[in-house]
Amino acid sequence: MRVLVTGGAGFIGRPTVQILAAAGHDVTVLDSLRPDVHPAAPQVPGGRLVRGDVRDEDLVGTLTHDADVVVHLAAKVGLGVDLGDIVDYVSSNDLGTACVLRVAATEGVAKVVFASSMVVYGEGAYDCPEHGRVAPGPRRPTDLDAGIFDPRCPRCDAVLAPTLVAEDAPLDPRNVYAATKVHGEHLLSAWVRETGGSAVALRFHNVYGPGSPRDTPYAGVASLFRSELAAGRPPRVFEDGGQRRDFVHVHDVAAAVGAAARADTAGFAALNVGSGTVTTVGGLAEALAHAVGGPEPVVTGQYRLGDVRHVTASSARAREVLGWHATTSLADGLAHS
Ligand SMILES: NC(=O)c1ccc[n+]([C@@H]2O[C@H](COP(=O)([O-])OP(=O)(O)OC[C@H]3O[C@@H](n4cnc5c(N)ncnc54)[C@H](O)[C@@H]3O)[C@@H](O)[C@H]2O)c1
Ligand SMILES: [Zn+2]
């Protein structure tokens, strides 16, 4: 297969290109090498790197001319909370995706794989003992001060139990970056309806591993813990450390992208890509401390009102549709990154 990978010089892109090339595909990479991501030009083994922007439709047209699949990873990542960056987010992500899809339609590309994110959900999924699946209300400072960190049922006030988010959960993007990922998925759906092509939006969870960028919603807490440990200090864990996340190794994510590029899917599918293992933020701090033989973490009870309490995914649908599942445990992944 001929595959164009946009953003293929990035953290997730590089191992993705390697996996596709190792499977015998002909891989071209289009990457603008954003200076805020790449202080130095990266090596991209396995792919032919073309430096350019996904918003350059002529260039994308030349590169997709005989492509079978476009894997669209290029995006401005970051935290997405500074409104000073809103134009860059919307231009890089929304307009960037629009350009890729327009060219893919003109050139008759049959399949697009898109890097979406767990941030489309906003919060995780919760069950009330009385009312079943409910959307939690905002957490109250009085609860948080009393050490009650789990949100309450909006109908009966019972403390809710976290469960796994499946792809049909309501979308609730809470910042600009998250909004661009939801919009990207909607544009993909429209492309599928108009062209009859197939598209897969992979909702990556917290991706970690070699080359992990800092200052993203995904790596944030792990890179903070690492910096504290590197300075010989114990990692400081907010709340009670019981915040649930899904950390998935970048090699597993790259394998999911490869599987999605090959899979014979029809229409539009959104799939969670997580490890399938629930890790708490406290557990992550412990694992990182053990990996480097550093001091035990300190659980501080401090909180930030806007923090999401739990987001963990069910990745069962990706296993069903792509025949893919993650194989790297957190302990192994941390030991080798
Ligand atoms: N890292 C995670 O945990 C995570 C989780 C969920 C989703 N994602 C998504 O996965 C994708 C890859 O993320 P990553 O972590 O590898 O980030 P990254 O910043 O390392 O990679 C993104 C790449 O895209 C390139 N790029 C950005 N704008 C471009 C443009 N306009 N034209 C061409 N190239 C451009 C950058 O130079 C960079 O090499 C992104 O779409 C991101 O939103 C990442
Ligand atoms: Zn209830």
Side-chain angles (χ1 to χ4, degrees), residues 17-255:
V17 168
Q18 277 181 304
I19 279 183
L20 288 167
H25 304 301
D26 180 65
V27 185
T28 302
V29 170
L30 173 61
D31 199 300
S32 61
L33 304 181
R34 282 184 66 109
D36 55 347
V37 180
H38 302 284
Q43 296 294 315
V44 188
R48 187 167 59 90
L49 173 62
V50 177
R51 183 172 189 172
D53 200 289
V54 291
R55 290 162 291 187
D56 179 346
E57 287 180 57
D58 291 341
L59 176 60
V60 180
T62 316
L63 300 178
T64 37
H65 194 51
D66 49 5
D68 302 296
V69 180
V70 173
V71 172
H72 179 41
L73 306 178
K76 175 173 167 60
V77 191
L79 294 173
V81 291
D82 180 352
L83 281 187
D85 290 338
I86 188 169
V87 173
D88 193 5
Y89 275 107
V90 171
S91 179
S92 302
N93 300 3
D94 299 42
L95 183 60
T97 301
C99 291
V100 167
L101 292 177
R102 176 152 102 175
V103 175
T106 327
E107 297 294 337
V109 173
K111 173 143 202 185
V112 177
V113 179
F114 172 64
S116 186
S117 169
M118 63 179 241
V119 297
V120 299
Y121 298 119
E123 263 288 349
Y126 298 86
D127 287 333
C128 168
E130 175 79 22
H131 299 104
R133 189 66 45 93
V134 289
R139 299 189 292 170
R140 297 177 204 139
T142 45
D143 275 350
L144 295 161
D145 287 333
I148 300 166
F149 295 109
D150 284 329
R152 292 181 183 272
C153 175
R155 294 173 64 186
C156 71
D157 227 28
V159 173
L160 298 171
T163 179
L164 301 180
V165 183
E167 289 83 351
D168 54 2
L171 302 186
D172 181 14
R174 294 187 174 181
N175 58 44
V176 170
Y177 168 69
T180 67
K181 289 293 163 188
V182 171
H183 191 211
E185 289 198 12
H186 290 164
L187 294 177
L188 235 67
S189 260
W191 178 86
V192 163
R193 274 193 299 274
E194 295 302 323
T195 64
S198 75
V200 183
L202 298 174
R203 294 176 180 164
F204 303 149
H205 279 251
N206 295 81
V207 189
Y208 72 98
S212 170
R214 285 163 172 266
D215 304 330
T216 70
Y218 314 110
V221 72
S223 60
L224 272 177
F225 291 163
R226 276 180 200 278
S227 318
E228 281 167 329
L229 286 163
R233 291 191 298 266
R236 295 173 60 78
V237 179
F238 281 5
E239 304 188 11
D240 58 356
Q243 306 90 306
R244 294 156 49 113
R245 298 289 184 271
D246 185 325
F247 294 96
V248 58
H249 195 272
V250 68
H251 290 158
D252 284 328
V253 171

Side-chain angles (χ1 to χ4, degrees), residues 4-22:
L4 174 68
V5 182
T6 73
F11 164 54
I12 295 172
R14 291 187 303 269
T16 298
V17 168
Q18 277 181 304
I19 279 183
L20 288 167

Side-chain angles (χ1 to χ4, degrees), residues 294-312:
E296 287 293 317
V298 176
V299 177
T300 66
Q302 275 172 290
Y303 60 83
R304 293 177 299 195
L305 263 185
D307 279 356
V308 172
R309 174 65 177 164
H310 305 292
V311 196
T312 49

Side-chain angles (χ1 to χ4, degrees), residues 257-313:
V257 178
R262 277 190 310 274
D264 188 17
T265 58
F268 171 78
L271 304 172
N272 284 332
V273 172
S275 67
T277 308
V278 173
T279 303
T280 62
V281 172
L284 172 73
E286 273 170 26
L288 282 167
H290 294 166
V292 299
E296 287 293 317
V298 176
V299 177
T300 66
Q302 275 172 290
Y303 60 83
R304 293 177 299 195
L305 263 185
D307 279 356
V308 172
R309 174 65 177 164
H310 305 292
V311 196
T312 49

